[in-house]
Amino acid sequence: MTTYQEYQAKIAELQNLAETARRDELNSAKEKIAAIMREHGLTLADLAGTAKPAKVSKPRAPVPMKYRDTATGQSWTGRGRAPKWLEGKNKEDFLIK
């Protein structure tokens, strides 16, 4: 019967073998890539140009205030949920002119 320590030793040995195999595969892949780049005369700068440029968005302009409560000075743009101070009241009475 195999003991726990023997299993742990086998696991450690297999992990070392897996790491070595991974390093070898990476080195092989790097060599293949370098050979293809040399063959076609490519540089890293050429590869960097293949990605799509990041979409540049313009900053949004702030929305002007449309309603103001003269008693408290609070304001609302008219977008989204109406504020509590406007509940049950006519919005037109608070329209900024």
Side-chain angles (χ1 to χ4, degrees), residues 10-84:
K10 287 181 184 179
I11 290 171
E13 181 182 346
L14 288 173
Q15 285 177 335
N16 287 335
L17 290 173
E19 277 296 316
T20 302
R22 176 79 176 143
R23 270 188 261 117
D24 291 343
E25 288 176 5
L26 286 176
N27 288 335
S28 175
K30 288 177 187 177
E31 289 172 9
K32 287 178 186 177
I33 292 169
I36 292 170
M37 288 177 70
R38 280 192 302 274
E39 180 182 332
H40 295 282
L42 297 172
T43 64
L44 289 176
D46 295 330
L47 297 178
T50 60
K52 292 182 181 179
K55 187 175 182 179
V56 179
S57 63
K58 296 178 186 176
R60 292 184 178 185
V63 179
M65 295 298 156
K66 194 170 180 181
Y67 302 97
R68 175 167 283 122
D69 183 8
T70 55
T72 63
Q74 293 178 326
S75 57
W76 178 49
T77 62
R79 295 186 179 180
R81 178 181 279 174
K84 293 279 187 189

